[in-house]
Amino acid sequence: MDTNTKTDALDALPDAVAAEAFRRLVRHLQHRHDAQNIDLMGLSGFCRNCLADWIRDAGFDGDKEAARELIHGMPSVQWKATRQSPATEEQLARMQESVAKNAKADAE
C-alpha cells in the first residue's frame, strides 16, 4: 500500500479516533521512558522527537521545544537529564540503518 496517497484507509479514520489513538501512543511513550529514543529510531525509524516534529508539521503553533515538551511530558532538557542514557555504538549503527530505510521509502 502506498502510504503517501491521500486515499488510504487511514484517511477515512475519523479525526477524533485518530487523535485518541495518537494521545494514547504519546502517553504510552511518556510512561515507557525505558524505551530509549535511540532504540525506537533503530527499530522503527521514528522517536519522540519525530512525533514532536510531526505535530509541528500538522499545524501545532508551538516551537520545536514546546512540541518536544508536549510529547515528552516535560521540558526536553529535563527529559534528557532524567530519562535518556548515552547511546552505544551498536544503537547508533542500528539508527543509521533505520534512517536509511526511511530515506529509501521516502524516495519511492
Side-chain angles (χ1 to χ4, degrees), residues 20 22-32:
E20 182 58 31
F22 172 78
R23 288 183 186 103
R24 187 174 179 179
L25 170 64
V26 171
R27 288 182 180 117
H28 181 79
L29 289 172
Q30 288 174 349
H31 172 71
R32 288 297 308 270

Side-chain angles (χ1 to χ4, degrees), residues 64-86:
K64 188 174 189 173
E65 179 54 35
R68 286 185 176 186
E69 184 171 340
L70 180 69
I71 297 299
H72 291 298
M74 64 184 69
S76 63
V77 172
Q78 180 184 357
W79 190 87
K80 285 179 184 181
T82 62
R83 305 285 195 263
Q84 185 171 304
S85 59

